[in-house]
PDB file of all heavy atoms in Angstrom:
ATOM      1  N   LEU U  26      65.826 124.537-137.231  1.00  0.00           N
ATOM      2  CA  LEU U  26      64.594 124.383-136.408  1.00  0.00           C
ATOM      3  C   LEU U  26      64.250 125.583-135.609  1.00  0.00           C
ATOM      4  O   LEU U  26      63.081 125.881-135.414  1.00  0.00           O
ATOM      5  CB  LEU U  26      64.756 123.162-135.480  1.00  0.00           C
ATOM      6  CG  LEU U  26      63.403 122.517-135.046  1.00  0.00           C
ATOM      7  CD1 LEU U  26      62.750 121.921-136.281  1.00  0.00           C
ATOM      8  CD2 LEU U  26      63.601 121.426-134.054  1.00  0.00           C
ATOM      9  N   LEU U  27      65.252 126.343-135.126  1.00  0.00           N
ATOM     10  CA  LEU U  27      64.929 127.485-134.281  1.00  0.00           C
ATOM     11  C   LEU U  27      64.264 128.624-135.098  1.00  0.00           C
ATOM     12  O   LEU U  27      63.496 129.382-134.544  1.00  0.00           O
ATOM     13  CB  LEU U  27      66.216 128.038-133.605  1.00  0.00           C
ATOM     14  CG  LEU U  27      66.759 127.231-132.428  1.00  0.00           C
ATOM     15  CD1 LEU U  27      67.859 127.944-131.716  1.00  0.00           C
ATOM     16  CD2 LEU U  27      65.651 126.844-131.444  1.00  0.00           C
ATOM     17  N   VAL U  28      64.561 128.726-136.374  1.00  0.00           N
ATOM     18  CA  VAL U  28      63.878 129.755-137.207  1.00  0.00           C
ATOM     19  C   VAL U  28      62.378 129.479-137.250  1.00  0.00           C
ATOM     20  O   VAL U  28      61.580 130.318-136.971  1.00  0.00           O
ATOM     21  CB  VAL U  28      64.480 129.863-138.604  1.00  0.00           C
ATOM     22  CG1 VAL U  28      63.606 130.665-139.526  1.00  0.00           C
ATOM     23  CG2 VAL U  28      65.872 130.490-138.566  1.00  0.00           C
ATOM     24  N   PRO U  29      61.930 128.274-137.684  1.00  0.00           N
ATOM     25  CA  PRO U  29      60.469 128.031-137.703  1.00  0.00           C
ATOM     26  C   PRO U  29      59.883 128.044-136.305  1.00  0.00           C
ATOM     27  O   PRO U  29      58.755 128.468-136.121  1.00  0.00           O
ATOM     28  CB  PRO U  29      60.320 126.680-138.391  1.00  0.00           C
ATOM     29  CG  PRO U  29      61.674 126.029-138.316  1.00  0.00           C
ATOM     30  CD  PRO U  29      62.655 127.112-138.329  1.00  0.00           C
ATOM     31  N   ILE U  30      60.599 127.546-135.269  1.00  0.00           N
ATOM     32  CA  ILE U  30      60.066 127.629-133.921  1.00  0.00           C
ATOM     33  C   ILE U  30      59.877 129.078-133.498  1.00  0.00           C
ATOM     34  O   ILE U  30      58.794 129.422-132.929  1.00  0.00           O
ATOM     35  CB  ILE U  30      60.993 126.902-132.929  1.00  0.00           C
ATOM     36  CG1 ILE U  30      60.952 125.372-133.107  1.00  0.00           C
ATOM     37  CG2 ILE U  30      60.639 127.241-131.481  1.00  0.00           C
ATOM     38  CD1 ILE U  30      61.887 124.609-132.169  1.00  0.00           C
ATOM     39  N   GLY U  31      60.799 129.949-133.746  1.00  0.00           N
ATOM     40  CA  GLY U  31      60.751 131.338-133.383  1.00  0.00           C
ATOM     41  C   GLY U  31      59.548 132.018-134.061  1.00  0.00           C
ATOM     42  O   GLY U  31      58.789 132.730-133.461  1.00  0.00           O
ATOM     43  N   VAL U  32      59.394 131.768-135.389  1.00  0.00           N
ATOM     44  CA  VAL U  32      58.292 132.347-136.151  1.00  0.00           C
ATOM     45  C   VAL U  32      56.957 131.823-135.634  1.00  0.00           C
ATOM     46  O   VAL U  32      55.997 132.585-135.436  1.00  0.00           O
ATOM     47  CB  VAL U  32      58.456 132.059-137.669  1.00  0.00           C
ATOM     48  CG1 VAL U  32      57.187 132.511-138.419  1.00  0.00           C
ATOM     49  CG2 VAL U  32      59.672 132.788-138.198  1.00  0.00           C
ATOM     50  N   GLY U  33      56.901 130.506-135.374  1.00  0.00           N
ATOM     51  CA  GLY U  33      55.673 129.931-134.823  1.00  0.00           C
ATOM     52  C   GLY U  33      55.325 130.514-133.486  1.00  0.00           C
ATOM     53  O   GLY U  33      54.154 130.746-133.172  1.00  0.00           O
ATOM     54  N   GLY U  34      56.360 130.748-132.627  1.00  0.00           N
ATOM     55  CA  GLY U  34      56.078 131.377-131.325  1.00  0.00           C
ATOM     56  C   GLY U  34      55.554 132.800-131.438  1.00  0.00           C
ATOM     57  O   GLY U  34      54.674 133.178-130.676  1.00  0.00           O
ATOM     58  N   ILE U  35      56.051 133.537-132.427  1.00  0.00           N
ATOM     59  CA  ILE U  35      55.569 134.889-132.638  1.00  0.00           C
ATOM     60  C   ILE U  35      54.138 134.878-133.116  1.00  0.00           C
ATOM     61  O   ILE U  35      53.262 135.619-132.630  1.00  0.00           O
ATOM     62  CB  ILE U  35      56.484 135.656-133.644  1.00  0.00           C
ATOM     63  CG1 ILE U  35      57.860 135.873-133.059  1.00  0.00           C
ATOM     64  CG2 ILE U  35      55.851 136.972-134.075  1.00  0.00           C
ATOM     65  CD1 ILE U  35      58.893 136.381-134.012  1.00  0.00           C
ATOM     66  N   LEU U  36      53.855 134.053-134.152  1.00  0.00           N
ATOM     67  CA  LEU U  36      52.535 134.003-134.714  1.00  0.00           C
ATOM     68  C   LEU U  36      51.471 133.523-133.729  1.00  0.00           C
ATOM     69  O   LEU U  36      50.336 133.991-133.734  1.00  0.00           O
ATOM     70  CB  LEU U  36      52.505 133.080-135.934  1.00  0.00           C
ATOM     71  CG  LEU U  36      53.334 133.559-137.173  1.00  0.00           C
ATOM     72  CD1 LEU U  36      53.299 132.486-138.294  1.00  0.00           C
ATOM     73  CD2 LEU U  36      52.785 134.886-137.693  1.00  0.00           C
ATOM     74  N   SER U  37      51.846 132.585-132.858  1.00  0.00           N
ATOM     75  CA  SER U  37      50.866 132.006-131.910  1.00  0.00           C
ATOM     76  C   SER U  37      50.533 133.004-130.823  1.00  0.00           C
ATOM     77  O   SER U  37      49.487 132.771-130.103  1.00  0.00           O
ATOM     78  CB  SER U  37      51.426 130.713-131.289  1.00  0.00           C
ATOM     79  OG  SER U  37      52.558 130.966-130.498  1.00  0.00           O
ATOM     80  N   ASN U  38      51.290 134.078-130.626  1.00  0.00           N
ATOM     81  CA  ASN U  38      51.008 135.034-129.594  1.00  0.00           C
ATOM     82  C   ASN U  38      50.460 136.380-130.090  1.00  0.00           C
ATOM     83  O   ASN U  38      50.322 137.314-129.302  1.00  0.00           O
ATOM     84  CB  ASN U  38      52.247 135.270-128.743  1.00  0.00           C
ATOM     85  CG  ASN U  38      52.568 134.111-127.799  1.00  0.00           C
ATOM     86  OD1 ASN U  38      51.980 133.947-126.752  1.00  0.00           O
ATOM     87  ND2 ASN U  38      53.525 133.279-128.222  1.00  0.00           N
ATOM     88  N   ILE U  39      50.161 136.443-131.356  1.00  0.00           N
ATOM     89  CA  ILE U  39      49.531 137.643-131.905  1.00  0.00           C
ATOM     90  C   ILE U  39      48.045 137.662-131.534  1.00  0.00           C
ATOM     91  O   ILE U  39      47.340 136.732-131.930  1.00  0.00           O
ATOM     92  CB  ILE U  39      49.712 137.742-133.462  1.00  0.00           C
ATOM     93  CG1 ILE U  39      51.202 137.877-133.726  1.00  0.00           C
ATOM     94  CG2 ILE U  39      48.943 138.932-133.994  1.00  0.00           C
ATOM     95  CD1 ILE U  39      51.552 137.969-135.135  1.00  0.00           C
ATOM     96  N   PRO U  40      47.583 138.681-130.819  1.00  0.00           N
ATOM     97  CA  PRO U  40      46.168 138.695-130.367  1.00  0.00           C
ATOM     98  C   PRO U  40      45.213 138.773-131.580  1.00  0.00           C
ATOM     99  O   PRO U  40      45.544 139.299-132.642  1.00  0.00           O
ATOM    100  CB  PRO U  40      46.071 140.001-129.591  1.00  0.00           C
ATOM    101  CG  PRO U  40      47.480 140.320-129.194  1.00  0.00           C
ATOM    102  CD  PRO U  40      48.365 139.790-130.305  1.00  0.00           C
ATOM    103  N   LEU U  41      44.096 138.059-131.423  1.00  0.00           N
ATOM    104  CA  LEU U  41      43.000 138.038-132.372  1.00  0.00           C
ATOM    105  C   LEU U  41      43.278 137.178-133.592  1.00  0.00           C
ATOM    106  O   LEU U  41      42.351 136.717-134.294  1.00  0.00           O
ATOM    107  CB  LEU U  41      42.587 139.401-132.851  1.00  0.00           C
ATOM    108  CG  LEU U  41      42.195 140.421-131.776  1.00  0.00           C
ATOM    109  CD1 LEU U  41      41.740 141.733-132.429  1.00  0.00           C
ATOM    110  CD2 LEU U  41      41.060 139.916-130.899  1.00  0.00           C
ATOM    111  N   ALA U  42      44.557 136.908-133.910  1.00  0.00           N
ATOM    112  CA  ALA U  42      44.869 136.089-135.095  1.00  0.00           C
ATOM    113  C   ALA U  42      44.386 134.664-134.922  1.00  0.00           C
ATOM    114  O   ALA U  42      43.933 134.052-135.891  1.00  0.00           O
ATOM    115  CB  ALA U  42      46.359 136.151-135.370  1.00  0.00           C
ATOM    116  N   GLY U  43      44.548 134.108-133.757  1.00  0.00           N
ATOM    117  CA  GLY U  43      44.071 132.754-133.476  1.00  0.00           C
ATOM    118  C   GLY U  43      44.722 131.666-134.315  1.00  0.00           C
ATOM    119  O   GLY U  43      44.134 130.627-134.542  1.00  0.00           O
ATOM    120  N   MET U  44      45.977 131.897-134.717  1.00  0.00           N
ATOM    121  CA  MET U  44      46.651 130.931-135.588  1.00  0.00           C
ATOM    122  C   MET U  44      46.940 129.619-134.914  1.00  0.00           C
ATOM    123  O   MET U  44      47.079 128.561-135.608  1.00  0.00           O
ATOM    124  CB  MET U  44      47.888 131.579-136.206  1.00  0.00           C
ATOM    125  CG  MET U  44      47.655 132.767-137.027  1.00  0.00           C
ATOM    126  SD  MET U  44      49.151 133.458-137.820  1.00  0.00           S
ATOM    127  CE  MET U  44      49.536 132.129-138.964  1.00  0.00           C
ATOM    128  N   ALA U  45      47.104 129.610-133.609  1.00  0.00           N
ATOM    129  CA  ALA U  45      47.397 128.398-132.910  1.00  0.00           C
ATOM    130  C   ALA U  45      46.216 127.847-132.138  1.00  0.00           C
ATOM    131  O   ALA U  45      46.252 126.875-131.392  1.00  0.00           O
ATOM    132  CB  ALA U  45      48.544 128.588-131.899  1.00  0.00           C
ATOM    133  N   ASP U  46      45.021 128.463-132.353  1.00  0.00           N
ATOM    134  CA  ASP U  46      43.805 128.087-131.627  1.00  0.00           C
ATOM    135  C   ASP U  46      42.955 127.099-132.458  1.00  0.00           C
ATOM    136  O   ASP U  46      42.909 127.173-133.697  1.00  0.00           O
ATOM    137  CB  ASP U  46      42.946 129.320-131.355  1.00  0.00           C
ATOM    138  CG  ASP U  46      43.616 130.273-130.357  1.00  0.00           C
ATOM    139  OD1 ASP U  46      44.521 129.793-129.591  1.00  0.00           O
ATOM    140  OD2 ASP U  46      43.287 131.482-130.348  1.00  0.00           O
ATOM    141  N   SER U  47      42.289 126.169-131.782  1.00  0.00           N
ATOM    142  CA  SER U  47      41.275 125.376-132.388  1.00  0.00           C
ATOM    143  C   SER U  47      40.020 126.233-132.642  1.00  0.00           C
ATOM    144  O   SER U  47      39.921 127.323-132.085  1.00  0.00           O
ATOM    145  CB  SER U  47      40.970 124.192-131.502  1.00  0.00           C
ATOM    146  OG  SER U  47      40.353 124.586-130.307  1.00  0.00           O
ATOM    147  N   ALA U  48      39.082 125.692-133.391  1.00  0.00           N
ATOM    148  CA  ALA U  48      37.843 126.406-133.616  1.00  0.00           C
ATOM    149  C   ALA U  48      37.105 126.651-132.307  1.00  0.00           C
ATOM    150  O   ALA U  48      36.531 127.715-132.091  1.00  0.00           O
ATOM    151  CB  ALA U  48      36.965 125.613-134.554  1.00  0.00           C
ATOM    152  N   LEU U  49      37.205 125.687-131.395  1.00  0.00           N
ATOM    153  CA  LEU U  49      36.526 125.823-130.090  1.00  0.00           C
ATOM    154  C   LEU U  49      37.169 126.969-129.272  1.00  0.00           C
ATOM    155  O   LEU U  49      36.494 127.803-128.693  1.00  0.00           O
ATOM    156  CB  LEU U  49      36.586 124.560-129.277  1.00  0.00           C
ATOM    157  CG  LEU U  49      36.079 124.653-127.874  1.00  0.00           C
ATOM    158  CD1 LEU U  49      34.591 124.945-127.817  1.00  0.00           C
ATOM    159  CD2 LEU U  49      36.390 123.371-127.076  1.00  0.00           C
ATOM    160  N   GLU U  50      38.484 127.004-129.246  1.00  0.00           N
ATOM    161  CA  GLU U  50      39.199 128.068-128.524  1.00  0.00           C
ATOM    162  C   GLU U  50      38.897 129.422-129.112  1.00  0.00           C
ATOM    163  O   GLU U  50      38.702 130.425-128.358  1.00  0.00           O
ATOM    164  CB  GLU U  50      40.714 127.807-128.530  1.00  0.00           C
ATOM    165  CG  GLU U  50      41.128 126.567-127.697  1.00  0.00           C
ATOM    166  CD  GLU U  50      42.610 126.237-127.920  1.00  0.00           C
ATOM    167  OE1 GLU U  50      43.036 126.197-129.083  1.00  0.00           O
ATOM    168  OE2 GLU U  50      43.267 125.914-126.930  1.00  0.00           O
ATOM    169  N   HIS U  51      38.834 129.478-130.423  1.00  0.00           N
ATOM    170  CA  HIS U  51      38.440 130.782-131.071  1.00  0.00           C
ATOM    171  C   HIS U  51      37.022 131.191-130.651  1.00  0.00           C
ATOM    172  O   HIS U  51      36.760 132.361-130.403  1.00  0.00           O
ATOM    173  CB  HIS U  51      38.557 130.625-132.570  1.00  0.00           C
ATOM    174  CG  HIS U  51      38.494 131.915-133.314  1.00  0.00           C
ATOM    175  ND1 HIS U  51      37.304 132.510-133.724  1.00  0.00           N
ATOM    176  CD2 HIS U  51      39.507 132.752-133.723  1.00  0.00           C
ATOM    177  CE1 HIS U  51      37.581 133.629-134.361  1.00  0.00           C
ATOM    178  NE2 HIS U  51      38.899 133.799-134.360  1.00  0.00           N
ATOM    179  N   ALA U  52      36.127 130.233-130.572  1.00  0.00           N
ATOM    180  CA  ALA U  52      34.762 130.533-130.167  1.00  0.00           C
ATOM    181  C   ALA U  52      34.686 130.952-128.713  1.00  0.00           C
ATOM    182  O   ALA U  52      33.966 131.904-128.349  1.00  0.00           O
ATOM    183  CB  ALA U  52      33.881 129.284-130.351  1.00  0.00           C
ATOM    184  N   LEU U  53      35.475 130.351-127.831  1.00  0.00           N
ATOM    185  CA  LEU U  53      35.507 130.713-126.417  1.00  0.00           C
ATOM    186  C   LEU U  53      35.995 132.149-126.227  1.00  0.00           C
ATOM    187  O   LEU U  53      35.535 132.887-125.356  1.00  0.00           O
ATOM    188  CB  LEU U  53      36.378 129.753-125.616  1.00  0.00           C
ATOM    189  CG  LEU U  53      35.791 128.314-125.480  1.00  0.00           C
ATOM    190  CD1 LEU U  53      36.857 127.413-124.790  1.00  0.00           C
ATOM    191  CD2 LEU U  53      34.506 128.289-124.684  1.00  0.00           C
TER     192      LEU U  53
END
């Protein structure tokens, strides 16, 4: 579980990628 959690944490904090954002958040 820590491997996918770690990768998810990295991906969600990459600027402009918006991988963890909803469409609304991306628009904002």
Side-chain angles (χ1 to χ4, degrees):
L26 205 65
L27 286 189
V28 167
I30 288 178
V32 172
I35 294 171
L36 293 177
S37 64
N38 285 282
I39 295 181
L41 303 182
M44 297 184 68
D46 295 336
S47 65
L49 174 65
E50 290 170 316
H51 194 272
L53 291 173

